[in-house]
Amino acid sequence: SRFLATIGHELRTPLNAIVGFSEMMTSGVVGELSPAHREYADIIHKSGHHLLDVVKMLLDMSRLEAGKFELQTEAFEPAELVEPCFKMVASLAKERNVQLVSDLPRLLPQLMGDERAIRQIVINLLSNAIKFSHENGVVTLSMKRQGSQLNISVADRGIGMDRDAVSRIGEPFFQAQDGLARRYEGTGLGLSIVKGLVELHDGVLKAISSPGEGTTITVLLPLNGPATKTAETHDVTPLVREPQVTQSFPWQDEKRRAL
């Protein structure tokens, strides 16, 4: 975790410069570029953004592993996550000709949780589903109340996984398509971060998948938020032992007289 954090911070500064200056070049701030130069600058810009995303995942993973990821919980409307999350993955979906669909009831209860962290959960699930979808596929994001929990599910009709791969979901750096000849790029950290953030919320991560038939990943989050730790509440609100009072009820006195 310390290694990932150190490398991540060292990489982020030069990567921000690469992304920033390549964006200036493509926007014409430094003068008009030839079509070939504009194409090269655009490739540099996209590659820099990709590396920044990888670095961000490494930093998130190192904080989760070290127990340094602190939640900032507040009540919010979960339905409001859909549009911003779809926008974040829209370019990836467009590249792969994947259609994004939402399935939400007319009314959803408020959710107590860290909105930024839960937004990251949804984005990671959508990105993963898009990446493993077939051309012209469909990825569906659904939300519904399930008892005292909020059910967030992302389903695709892509390549799917076998039983062994499903059992290993959430392991850092694990990918079902592994090895040098794998077809799908990525660090294998997306679902691991999802699992860590879900567990911080006292939630549950489940997956159903079959090879060639697609995958559905479901996250169950408590509507009232993660339980408060006993140690923290003990420091804030010390318990005072009250003297015990023996209560006497009228029917007990009547019973004694009868006996």
Side-chain angles (χ1 to χ4, degrees):
S1 294
R2 290 179 61 189
F3 170 75
L4 292 178
T6 303
I7 293 298
H9 284 295
E10 288 296 320
L11 287 173
R12 199 148 66 168
T13 300
L15 279 174
N16 279 325
I18 290 169
V19 169
F21 283 113
S22 61
E23 189 171 358
M24 289 175 62
M25 293 172 68
T26 55
S27 63
V29 173
V30 294
E32 284 299 319
L33 301 178
S34 67
H37 288 163
R38 182 179 293 278
E39 181 185 355
Y40 300 154
D42 188 53
I43 292 172
I44 293 170
H45 186 253
K46 287 181 178 177
S47 299
H49 262 300
H50 174 72
L51 286 174
L52 276 176
D53 288 340
V54 171
V55 169
K56 183 176 179 299
M57 283 198 292
L58 290 173
L59 291 174
D60 282 344
M61 193 66 223
S62 66
R63 284 195 295 159
L64 285 168
E65 288 281 324
K68 300 294 185 183
F69 200 109
E70 296 182 2
L71 297 180
Q72 304 294 326
T73 60
E74 60 181 359
F76 67 95
E77 302 291 341
E80 294 179 358
L81 292 174
V82 176
E83 187 176 351
C85 289
F86 275 7
K87 285 182 178 178
M88 288 294 293
V89 299
S91 58
L92 178 61
K94 187 177 180 181
E95 285 176 14
R96 298 179 177 273
N97 291 323
V98 172
Q99 181 184 2
L100 299 174
V101 176
S102 62
D103 179 16
L104 278 70
R106 190 173 59 87
L107 292 175
L108 272 175
Q110 280 195 328
L111 176 66
M112 179 67 72
D114 188 318
E115 185 174 354
R116 189 193 72 84
I118 295 172
R119 186 167 60 245
Q120 189 64 50
I121 288 171
V122 176
I123 289 171
N124 284 11
L125 291 179
L126 288 172
S127 300
N128 213 62
I130 293 167
K131 182 168 69 172
F132 293 108
S133 288
H134 298 302
E135 188 86 4
N136 301 315
V138 176
V139 169
T140 304
L141 168 62
S142 61
M143 295 182 186
K144 63 181 180 182
R145 180 170 191 159
Q146 187 170 322
S148 61
Q149 298 174 312
L150 180 70
N151 180 315
I152 302 175
S153 294
V154 174
D156 66 70
R157 305 170 190 169
I159 62 172
M161 295 177 283
D162 58 25
R163 186 177 299 178
D164 178 63
V166 170
S167 66
R168 296 185 62 187
I169 279 181
E171 289 184 17
F173 306 107
F174 170 74
Q175 276 201 342
Q177 296 278 330
D178 214 345
L180 295 175
R182 70 183 185 185
R183 294 172 52 197
Y184 304 92
E185 63 178 24
T187 58
L189 286 176
L191 289 180
S192 182
I193 291 171
V194 167
K195 185 180 180 183
L197 294 177
V198 168
E199 289 176 348
L200 280 179
H201 281 84
D202 292 340
V204 179
L205 176 70
K206 298 180 179 180
I208 299 174
S209 186
S210 296
E213 296 183 10
T215 302
T216 299
I217 296 185
T218 299
V219 168
L220 297 173
L221 300 174
L223 290 170
N224 293 330
T228 308
K229 294 179 182 177
T230 307
E232 293 174 354
T233 56
H234 176 72
D235 294 338
V236 176
T237 314
L239 298 176
V240 178
R241 186 178 296 277
E242 298 288 346
Q244 291 186 346
V245 178
T246 304
Q247 288 182 304
S248 178
F249 297 97
W251 65 268
Q252 292 176 325
D253 295 333
E254 294 296 331
K255 185 177 179 183
R256 291 193 194 97
R257 290 197 194 97
L259 293 173

